[in-house]
mmCIF file of all heavy atoms in Angstrom:
data_model
loop_
_atom_site.group_PDB
_atom_site.id
_atom_site.type_symbol
_atom_site.label_atom_id
_atom_site.label_comp_id
_atom_site.label_asym_id
_atom_site.label_seq_id
_atom_site.Cartn_x
_atom_site.Cartn_y
_atom_site.Cartn_z
ATOM 1 N N ASN A 98 6.722 81.946 83.427
ATOM 2 C CA ASN A 98 6.704 80.757 82.578
ATOM 3 C C ASN A 98 5.474 79.900 82.835
ATOM 4 O O ASN A 98 4.856 79.384 81.893
ATOM 5 C CB ASN A 98 7.978 79.942 82.774
ATOM 6 C CG ASN A 98 9.194 80.632 82.191
ATOM 7 O OD1 ASN A 98 9.086 81.509 81.351
ATOM 8 N ND2 ASN A 98 10.355 80.244 82.674
ATOM 9 N N GLU A 99 5.087 79.737 84.108
ATOM 10 C CA GLU A 99 3.878 78.984 84.445
ATOM 11 C C GLU A 99 2.649 79.644 83.838
ATOM 12 O O GLU A 99 1.764 78.968 83.297
ATOM 13 C CB GLU A 99 3.715 78.874 85.958
ATOM 14 C CG GLU A 99 4.720 77.977 86.636
ATOM 15 C CD GLU A 99 4.637 78.049 88.153
ATOM 16 O OE1 GLU A 99 3.657 78.631 88.693
ATOM 17 O OE2 GLU A 99 5.550 77.526 88.807
ATOM 18 N N SER A 100 2.581 80.953 83.915
ATOM 19 C CA SER A 100 1.437 81.687 83.368
ATOM 20 C C SER A 100 1.386 81.575 81.853
ATOM 21 O O SER A 100 0.311 81.407 81.271
ATOM 22 C CB SER A 100 1.503 83.156 83.783
ATOM 23 O OG SER A 100 1.462 83.264 85.190
ATOM 24 N N LEU A 101 2.548 81.669 81.197
ATOM 25 C CA LEU A 101 2.591 81.527 79.741
ATOM 26 C C LEU A 101 2.141 80.138 79.314
ATOM 27 O O LEU A 101 1.414 79.994 78.331
ATOM 28 C CB LEU A 101 3.999 81.808 79.225
ATOM 29 C CG LEU A 101 4.441 83.270 79.253
ATOM 30 C CD1 LEU A 101 5.916 83.385 78.868
ATOM 31 C CD2 LEU A 101 3.585 84.126 78.347
ATOM 32 N N ALA A 102 2.550 79.121 80.062
ATOM 33 C CA ALA A 102 2.113 77.753 79.747
ATOM 34 C C ALA A 102 0.599 77.641 79.879
ATOM 35 O O ALA A 102 -0.064 77.013 79.051
ATOM 36 C CB ALA A 102 2.811 76.755 80.668
ATOM 37 N N SER A 103 0.041 78.267 80.898
ATOM 38 C CA SER A 103 -1.405 78.259 81.083
ATOM 39 C C SER A 103 -2.109 78.984 79.943
ATOM 40 O O SER A 103 -3.140 78.534 79.450
ATOM 41 C CB SER A 103 -1.757 78.911 82.418
ATOM 42 O OG SER A 103 -3.142 78.982 82.590
ATOM 43 N N LEU A 104 -1.538 80.103 79.499
ATOM 44 C CA LEU A 104 -2.128 80.848 78.377
ATOM 45 C C LEU A 104 -2.108 80.041 77.092
ATOM 46 O O LEU A 104 -3.034 80.121 76.288
ATOM 47 C CB LEU A 104 -1.386 82.163 78.154
ATOM 48 C CG LEU A 104 -1.793 83.321 79.034
ATOM 49 C CD1 LEU A 104 -0.913 84.523 78.764
ATOM 50 C CD2 LEU A 104 -3.249 83.670 78.836
ATOM 51 N N LYS A 105 -1.059 79.262 76.885
ATOM 52 C CA LYS A 105 -0.964 78.448 75.667
ATOM 53 C C LYS A 105 -2.105 77.434 75.603
ATOM 54 O O LYS A 105 -2.499 77.016 74.525
ATOM 55 C CB LYS A 105 0.386 77.750 75.606
ATOM 56 C CG LYS A 105 1.513 78.696 75.283
ATOM 57 C CD LYS A 105 2.854 77.982 75.273
ATOM 58 C CE LYS A 105 3.967 78.974 75.045
ATOM 59 N NZ LYS A 105 5.285 78.340 75.109
ATOM 60 N N ASN A 106 -2.639 77.060 76.759
ATOM 61 C CA ASN A 106 -3.758 76.122 76.802
ATOM 62 C C ASN A 106 -5.089 76.794 76.460
ATOM 63 O O ASN A 106 -6.088 76.125 76.243
ATOM 64 C CB ASN A 106 -3.855 75.452 78.170
ATOM 65 C CG ASN A 106 -2.670 74.558 78.440
ATOM 66 O OD1 ASN A 106 -2.093 73.986 77.528
ATOM 67 N ND2 ASN A 106 -2.299 74.441 79.706
ATOM 68 N N GLN A 107 -5.110 78.117 76.442
ATOM 69 C CA GLN A 107 -6.304 78.867 76.050
ATOM 70 C C GLN A 107 -6.308 78.960 74.529
ATOM 71 O O GLN A 107 -5.520 79.685 73.946
ATOM 72 C CB GLN A 107 -6.298 80.276 76.656
ATOM 73 C CG GLN A 107 -6.263 80.316 78.154
ATOM 74 C CD GLN A 107 -7.594 79.918 78.749
ATOM 75 O OE1 GLN A 107 -8.637 80.133 78.148
ATOM 76 N NE2 GLN A 107 -7.553 79.343 79.929
ATOM 77 N N SER A 108 -7.193 78.244 73.897
ATOM 78 C CA SER A 108 -7.161 78.139 72.440
ATOM 79 C C SER A 108 -7.381 79.460 71.715
ATOM 80 O O SER A 108 -6.893 79.642 70.615
ATOM 81 C CB SER A 108 -8.205 77.130 71.974
ATOM 82 O OG SER A 108 -9.496 77.548 72.360
ATOM 83 N N ASP A 109 -8.089 80.403 72.323
ATOM 84 C CA ASP A 109 -8.382 81.642 71.606
ATOM 85 C C ASP A 109 -7.405 82.774 71.890
ATOM 86 O O ASP A 109 -7.523 83.843 71.333
ATOM 87 C CB ASP A 109 -9.821 82.095 71.857
ATOM 88 C CG ASP A 109 -10.189 82.146 73.327
ATOM 89 O OD1 ASP A 109 -9.373 81.718 74.159
ATOM 90 O OD2 ASP A 109 -11.292 82.604 73.634
ATOM 91 N N VAL A 110 -6.429 82.559 72.766
ATOM 92 C CA VAL A 110 -5.397 83.568 72.977
ATOM 93 C C VAL A 110 -4.235 83.211 72.054
ATOM 94 O O VAL A 110 -3.430 82.347 72.354
ATOM 95 C CB VAL A 110 -4.910 83.620 74.442
ATOM 96 C CG1 VAL A 110 -3.852 84.702 74.607
ATOM 97 C CG2 VAL A 110 -6.061 83.861 75.391
ATOM 98 N N VAL A 111 -4.179 83.877 70.905
ATOM 99 C CA VAL A 111 -3.148 83.578 69.920
ATOM 100 C C VAL A 111 -1.984 84.549 70.060
ATOM 101 O O VAL A 111 -0.829 84.169 70.076
ATOM 102 C CB VAL A 111 -3.732 83.627 68.490
ATOM 103 C CG1 VAL A 111 -2.653 83.390 67.468
ATOM 104 C CG2 VAL A 111 -4.860 82.617 68.358
ATOM 105 N N SER A 112 -2.307 85.810 70.180
ATOM 106 C CA SER A 112 -1.285 86.841 70.335
ATOM 107 C C SER A 112 -1.935 88.059 70.993
ATOM 108 O O SER A 112 -3.149 88.137 71.114
ATOM 109 C CB SER A 112 -0.681 87.218 68.985
ATOM 110 O OG SER A 112 -1.664 87.822 68.171
ATOM 111 N N PHE A 113 -1.098 88.993 71.378
ATOM 112 C CA PHE A 113 -1.594 90.213 72.000
ATOM 113 C C PHE A 113 -1.553 91.356 70.997
ATOM 114 O O PHE A 113 -0.554 91.566 70.317
ATOM 115 C CB PHE A 113 -0.770 90.575 73.236
ATOM 116 C CG PHE A 113 -0.915 89.583 74.347
ATOM 117 C CD1 PHE A 113 0.090 88.691 74.643
ATOM 118 C CD2 PHE A 113 -2.083 89.534 75.083
ATOM 119 C CE1 PHE A 113 -0.054 87.769 75.653
ATOM 120 C CE2 PHE A 113 -2.248 88.609 76.094
ATOM 121 C CZ PHE A 113 -1.226 87.725 76.382
ATOM 122 N N ASP A 114 -2.658 92.081 70.933
ATOM 123 C CA ASP A 114 -2.732 93.264 70.081
ATOM 124 C C ASP A 114 -2.213 94.493 70.803
ATOM 125 O O ASP A 114 -1.908 95.499 70.185
ATOM 126 C CB ASP A 114 -4.184 93.502 69.652
ATOM 127 C CG ASP A 114 -4.723 92.329 68.863
ATOM 128 O OD1 ASP A 114 -4.256 92.144 67.723
ATOM 129 O OD2 ASP A 114 -5.561 91.581 69.388
ATOM 130 N N LEU A 115 -2.135 94.395 72.134
ATOM 131 C CA LEU A 115 -1.742 95.539 72.933
ATOM 132 C C LEU A 115 -1.128 95.031 74.232
ATOM 133 O O LEU A 115 -1.623 94.066 74.810
ATOM 134 C CB LEU A 115 -2.999 96.368 73.232
ATOM 135 C CG LEU A 115 -2.804 97.662 73.975
ATOM 136 C CD1 LEU A 115 -3.745 98.690 73.427
ATOM 137 C CD2 LEU A 115 -3.009 97.473 75.445
ATOM 138 N N ILE A 116 -0.050 95.670 74.671
ATOM 139 C CA ILE A 116 0.599 95.336 75.943
ATOM 140 C C ILE A 116 0.773 96.625 76.733
ATOM 141 O O ILE A 116 1.257 97.623 76.203
ATOM 142 C CB ILE A 116 1.973 94.672 75.718
ATOM 143 C CG1 ILE A 116 1.809 93.344 74.975
ATOM 144 C CG2 ILE A 116 2.696 94.460 77.046
ATOM 145 C CD1 ILE A 116 3.110 92.707 74.555
ATOM 146 N N LEU A 117 0.382 96.579 78.011
ATOM 147 C CA LEU A 117 0.565 97.722 78.908
ATOM 148 C C LEU A 117 1.339 97.263 80.125
ATOM 149 O O LEU A 117 0.940 96.308 80.803
ATOM 150 C CB LEU A 117 -0.781 98.297 79.351
ATOM 151 C CG LEU A 117 -0.723 99.344 80.480
ATOM 152 C CD1 LEU A 117 -0.019 100.602 80.007
ATOM 153 C CD2 LEU A 117 -2.108 99.667 80.984
ATOM 154 N N HIS A 118 2.435 97.923 80.410
ATOM 155 C CA HIS A 118 3.200 97.675 81.635
ATOM 156 C C HIS A 118 2.820 98.767 82.625
ATOM 157 O O HIS A 118 3.141 99.933 82.423
ATOM 158 C CB HIS A 118 4.706 97.714 81.339
ATOM 159 C CG HIS A 118 5.544 97.403 82.536
ATOM 160 N ND1 HIS A 118 5.816 98.328 83.506
ATOM 161 C CD2 HIS A 118 6.149 96.260 82.917
ATOM 162 C CE1 HIS A 118 6.572 97.773 84.429
ATOM 163 N NE2 HIS A 118 6.788 96.517 84.100
ATOM 164 N N ALA A 119 2.102 98.373 83.681
ATOM 165 C CA ALA A 119 1.610 99.364 84.642
ATOM 166 C C ALA A 119 1.890 98.944 86.080
ATOM 167 O O ALA A 119 1.154 99.311 86.982
ATOM 168 C CB ALA A 119 0.110 99.585 84.436
ATOM 169 N N ILE A 120 2.952 98.166 86.292
ATOM 170 C CA ILE A 120 3.314 97.794 87.659
ATOM 171 C C ILE A 120 3.784 99.062 88.355
ATOM 172 O O ILE A 120 4.636 99.775 87.849
ATOM 173 C CB ILE A 120 4.418 96.722 87.676
ATOM 174 C CG1 ILE A 120 3.919 95.442 87.033
ATOM 175 C CG2 ILE A 120 4.889 96.464 89.099
ATOM 176 C CD1 ILE A 120 4.980 94.361 86.900
ATOM 177 N N SER A 121 3.211 99.325 89.537
ATOM 178 C CA SER A 121 3.501 100.615 90.147
ATOM 179 C C SER A 121 4.178 100.564 91.503
ATOM 180 O O SER A 121 4.664 101.566 91.971
ATOM 181 C CB SER A 121 2.206 101.409 90.294
ATOM 182 O OG SER A 121 1.335 100.727 91.178
ATOM 183 N N ARG A 122 4.221 99.412 92.150
ATOM 184 C CA ARG A 122 4.831 99.433 93.480
ATOM 185 C C ARG A 122 5.655 98.174 93.713
ATOM 186 O O ARG A 122 5.319 97.096 93.268
ATOM 187 C CB ARG A 122 3.776 99.576 94.563
ATOM 188 C CG ARG A 122 2.732 98.527 94.464
ATOM 189 C CD ARG A 122 1.565 98.768 95.349
ATOM 190 N NE ARG A 122 0.537 97.959 94.692
ATOM 191 C CZ ARG A 122 -0.594 97.635 95.162
ATOM 192 N NH1 ARG A 122 -0.935 98.055 96.312
ATOM 193 N NH2 ARG A 122 -1.432 96.892 94.509
ATOM 194 N N GLY A 123 6.734 98.366 94.415
ATOM 195 C CA GLY A 123 7.537 97.240 94.847
ATOM 196 C C GLY A 123 8.365 96.564 93.778
ATOM 197 O O GLY A 123 8.747 95.419 93.939
ATOM 198 N N ASN A 124 8.688 97.254 92.701
ATOM 199 C CA ASN A 124 9.481 96.621 91.648
ATOM 200 C C ASN A 124 10.704 97.451 91.314
ATOM 201 O O ASN A 124 10.594 98.541 90.789
ATOM 202 C CB ASN A 124 8.645 96.419 90.383
ATOM 203 C CG ASN A 124 7.723 95.263 90.551
ATOM 204 O OD1 ASN A 124 8.160 94.161 90.819
ATOM 205 N ND2 ASN A 124 6.440 95.518 90.435
ATOM 206 N N LEU A 125 11.844 96.880 91.619
ATOM 207 C CA LEU A 125 13.096 97.536 91.275
ATOM 208 C C LEU A 125 13.890 96.709 90.281
ATOM 209 O O LEU A 125 14.973 97.082 89.888
ATOM 210 C CB LEU A 125 13.924 97.766 92.549
ATOM 211 C CG LEU A 125 13.243 98.632 93.604
ATOM 212 C CD1 LEU A 125 14.099 98.709 94.863
ATOM 213 C CD2 LEU A 125 12.966 100.027 93.071
ATOM 214 N N LYS A 126 13.343 95.562 89.871
ATOM 215 C CA LYS A 126 14.017 94.691 88.918
ATOM 216 C C LYS A 126 13.758 95.186 87.494
ATOM 217 O O LYS A 126 12.718 95.764 87.212
ATOM 218 C CB LYS A 126 13.486 93.262 89.037
ATOM 219 C CG LYS A 126 13.731 92.635 90.380
ATOM 220 C CD LYS A 126 13.111 91.256 90.416
ATOM 221 C CE LYS A 126 13.198 90.635 91.775
ATOM 222 N NZ LYS A 126 12.512 89.330 91.816
ATOM 223 N N PRO A 127 14.712 94.930 86.583
ATOM 224 C CA PRO A 127 14.467 95.306 85.180
ATOM 225 C C PRO A 127 13.358 94.456 84.580
ATOM 226 O O PRO A 127 13.193 93.291 84.944
ATOM 227 C CB PRO A 127 15.803 95.024 84.496
ATOM 228 C CG PRO A 127 16.580 94.174 85.431
ATOM 229 C CD PRO A 127 16.009 94.342 86.799
ATOM 230 N N PHE A 128 12.590 95.044 83.674
ATOM 231 C CA PHE A 128 11.498 94.332 83.006
ATOM 232 C C PHE A 128 12.049 93.271 82.067
ATOM 233 O O PHE A 128 11.518 92.188 81.960
ATOM 234 C CB PHE A 128 10.622 95.331 82.255
ATOM 235 C CG PHE A 128 9.416 94.720 81.615
ATOM 236 C CD1 PHE A 128 8.459 94.098 82.383
ATOM 237 C CD2 PHE A 128 9.231 94.780 80.252
ATOM 238 C CE1 PHE A 128 7.336 93.532 81.807
ATOM 239 C CE2 PHE A 128 8.120 94.225 79.666
ATOM 240 C CZ PHE A 128 7.165 93.602 80.449
ATOM 241 N N VAL A 129 13.132 93.579 81.372
ATOM 242 C CA VAL A 129 13.783 92.638 80.473
ATOM 243 C C VAL A 129 15.246 92.543 80.893
ATOM 244 O O VAL A 129 15.937 93.542 81.006
ATOM 245 C CB VAL A 129 13.689 93.095 78.999
ATOM 246 C CG1 VAL A 129 14.443 92.144 78.096
ATOM 247 C CG2 VAL A 129 12.242 93.214 78.572
ATOM 248 N N SER A 130 15.717 91.341 81.130
ATOM 249 C CA SER A 130 17.087 91.109 81.547
ATOM 250 C C SER A 130 18.012 91.080 80.340
ATOM 251 O O SER A 130 17.657 90.572 79.281
ATOM 252 C CB SER A 130 17.174 89.785 82.309
ATOM 253 O OG SER A 130 18.522 89.458 82.536
ATOM 254 N N LYS A 131 19.209 91.584 80.495
ATOM 255 C CA LYS A 131 20.192 91.521 79.410
ATOM 256 C C LYS A 131 20.746 90.109 79.263
ATOM 257 O O LYS A 131 21.230 89.743 78.201
ATOM 258 C CB LYS A 131 21.340 92.495 79.689
ATOM 259 C CG LYS A 131 20.920 93.932 79.605
ATOM 260 C CD LYS A 131 22.089 94.847 79.888
ATOM 261 C CE LYS A 131 21.631 96.299 79.848
ATOM 262 N NZ LYS A 131 22.726 97.226 80.132
ATOM 263 N N ASN A 132 20.662 89.309 80.320
ATOM 264 C CA ASN A 132 21.242 87.968 80.299
ATOM 265 C C ASN A 132 20.246 86.879 79.906
ATOM 266 O O ASN A 132 20.648 85.773 79.591
ATOM 267 C CB ASN A 132 21.810 87.625 81.676
ATOM 268 C CG ASN A 132 22.901 88.599 82.069
ATOM 269 O OD1 ASN A 132 23.620 89.108 81.222
ATOM 270 N ND2 ASN A 132 23.001 88.880 83.351
ATOM 271 N N GLU A 133 18.972 87.166 79.958
ATOM 272 C CA GLU A 133 17.960 86.170 79.658
ATOM 273 C C GLU A 133 17.135 86.614 78.463
ATOM 274 O O GLU A 133 17.049 87.787 78.153
ATOM 275 C CB GLU A 133 17.040 85.980 80.868
ATOM 276 C CG GLU A 133 17.759 85.468 82.097
ATOM 277 C CD GLU A 133 16.821 85.375 83.290
ATOM 278 O OE1 GLU A 133 15.610 85.337 83.091
ATOM 279 O OE2 GLU A 133 17.334 85.350 84.417
ATOM 280 N N ARG A 134 16.492 85.633 77.833
ATOM 281 C CA ARG A 134 15.621 85.955 76.710
ATOM 282 C C ARG A 134 14.352 86.634 77.232
ATOM 283 O O ARG A 134 13.871 86.290 78.315
ATOM 284 C CB ARG A 134 15.224 84.692 75.967
ATOM 285 C CG ARG A 134 16.378 84.013 75.293
ATOM 286 C CD ARG A 134 15.954 82.815 74.538
ATOM 287 N NE ARG A 134 14.934 82.082 75.290
ATOM 288 C CZ ARG A 134 14.162 81.137 74.791
ATOM 289 N NH1 ARG A 134 14.274 80.801 73.545
ATOM 290 N NH2 ARG A 134 13.274 80.519 75.526
ATOM 291 N N PRO A 135 13.812 87.591 76.488
ATOM 292 C CA PRO A 135 12.538 88.197 76.890
ATOM 293 C C PRO A 135 11.450 87.136 76.993
ATOM 294 O O PRO A 135 11.438 86.168 76.239
ATOM 295 C CB PRO A 135 12.222 89.187 75.770
ATOM 296 C CG PRO A 135 13.530 89.429 75.104
ATOM 297 C CD PRO A 135 14.337 88.167 75.272
ATOM 298 N N THR A 136 10.533 87.311 77.932
ATOM 299 C CA THR A 136 9.483 86.320 78.145
ATOM 300 C C THR A 136 8.227 86.650 77.390
ATOM 301 O O THR A 136 7.316 85.828 77.343
ATOM 302 C CB THR A 136 9.168 86.202 79.644
ATOM 303 O OG1 THR A 136 8.801 87.483 80.133
ATOM 304 C CG2 THR A 136 10.361 85.672 80.405
#
Side-chain angles (χ1 to χ4, degrees):
N98 290 340
E99 290 172 11
S100 299
L101 287 173
S103 177
L104 277 176
K105 287 178 184 177
N106 294 329
Q107 300 287 330
S108 61
D109 51 354
V110 181
V111 177
S112 65
F113 294 106
D114 299 290
L115 184 142
I116 297 173
L117 170 66
H118 183 280
I120 296 175
S121 63
R122 55 190 159 167
N124 283 303
L125 300 176
K126 298 177 186 176
F128 184 61
V129 177
S130 171
K131 292 180 182 179
N132 299 328
E133 298 177 20
R134 294 182 320 166
T136 57

